[in-house]
Amino acid sequence: MQRNVLETVMGAVVLLAAAAFLYIVYGASGVSAPSSGYHLIMRLDSGGSITPGTDVRAAGVKVGTVVKQEFDPKNFQAVITLDIDKNVQIDTDASANVDQDGLLGNSFVAVQLGGDDTMMKDGDTFKHATGALSLSRLIGAVVSPTGGGDKKDDGGAAVPANP
């Protein structure tokens, strides 16, 4: 009888630990957080690793979250919707860039504030937005730079690279 009580108590402890773990994961994911501000739009040629739940930062401080990522088949662009805290005002000449914490860190959206007096409103789109830099493209550009091969002399005729 004593063994059954011990097994029941241990089972309850395991279930409580699992419930606490799920609560922490759900809270950290940002899924449960209701929209607390206004939405701004980024249009990028390369969305990189930006997904819903990704941080939006201004001056290194979290000011919002990515809430939606879509593909615009007409313009072949990633359309990213940002939920910005209602207490943070972003001017119309601000820019948004996809950045990373370190070389292999997590991606986030970095907002560089401008100096305009007019502020963006719900549904506005950033005029200046740049996507993530691809590490493989940067390495590829260094390893095999474009423009290699034949060189031209003053007459315009092709001259072999190795005579």
Side-chain angles (χ1 to χ4, degrees), residues 47-120:
S49 59
I50 298 299
T51 57
T54 301
D55 287 352
V56 177
R57 301 178 190 172
V61 178
K62 182 177 177 179
V63 296
T65 305
V66 173
V67 291
K68 188 179 358 174
Q69 180 184 36
E70 299 174 309
F71 178 71
D72 180 3
K74 184 176 181 182
N75 296 320
F76 296 103
Q77 289 182 318
V79 180
I80 313 294
T81 304
L82 313 175
D83 180 44
I84 306 296
D85 186 345
K86 63 184 173 191
N87 297 323
V88 177
Q89 297 298 314
I90 297 176
D91 49 298
T92 55
D93 66 340
S95 64
N97 309 305
V98 177
D99 206 349
Q100 279 186 300
D101 285 327
L103 184 61
L104 299 174
N106 292 331
S107 294
F108 63 94
V109 176
V111 176
Q112 275 75 36
L113 303 174
D116 201 355
D117 292 334
T118 56
M119 300 298 161
M120 296 178 86

Side-chain angles (χ1 to χ4, degrees), residues 26-44:
Y26 187 72
S29 70
V31 174
S32 63
S35 175
S36 61
Y38 58 102
H39 292 129
L40 299 178
I41 308 295
M42 285 177 63
R43 294 181 149 282
L44 304 171

